[in-house]
Amino acid sequence: TVTVQGLIDKGLFDVVNKGDGLDREITTPFCCDLLSIAMGRAPAGCAWVTVMGNLNTLAVAALADAACVILAEGAMLDEAAVKKAALQGITVLRTEEPVFETALAVKELLK
């Protein structure tokens, strides 16, 4: 099993915000940039890989009970979203890698 802290410790991704659930087990990677689909289909405990770095992404991550959000393709959170992630205890990571390669790296760690 891989926890959120374990994922951070691998050093594959930059840490934007360390949230409250660092001991949560990551169940699977999940890729989606359409928030309405992510809201209904992101499995609890997933590492959600997206390029959507805004307040709505954090709201959906909380609603879907994602273990963490990984911003791919060099996406960033704006200042308001960084503050909101800290306030809500949501772990947000980032990478310059494409979405597919990011999700694949998470999947490989889960094997």
Side-chain angles (χ1 to χ4, degrees):
T1 65
V2 177
T3 63
V4 175
Q5 183 64 56
L7 181 61
I8 291 169
D9 291 345
K10 291 292 182 187
L12 299 174
F13 309 114
D14 298 327
V15 177
V16 177
N17 184 70
K18 277 192 178 184
D20 298 334
L22 297 176
D23 60 343
R24 288 191 67 186
E25 181 181 337
I26 296 174
T27 57
T28 187
F30 174 77
C31 303
C32 187
D33 293 323
L34 192 56
L35 297 178
S36 59
I37 291 177
M39 194 172 1
R41 296 187 184 169
C46 70
W48 179 19
V49 183
T50 183
V51 298
M52 301 294 293
N54 59 42
L55 289 172
N56 292 333
T57 301
L58 298 175
V60 171
L63 184 66
D65 196 26
C68 63
V69 174
I70 305 173
L71 298 173
E73 311 266 354
M76 302 281 288
L77 288 181
D78 62 33
E79 187 176 327
V82 171
K83 289 179 183 175
K84 190 69 163 181
L87 184 66
Q88 291 188 327
I90 299 172
T91 297
V92 180
L93 310 174
R94 68 172 303 277
T95 181
E96 296 292 327
E97 294 296 315
V99 170
F100 178 81
E101 282 78 5
T102 302
L104 188 60
V106 173
K107 186 71 171 176
E108 288 295 317
L109 290 174
L110 297 179
K111 286 185 176 181

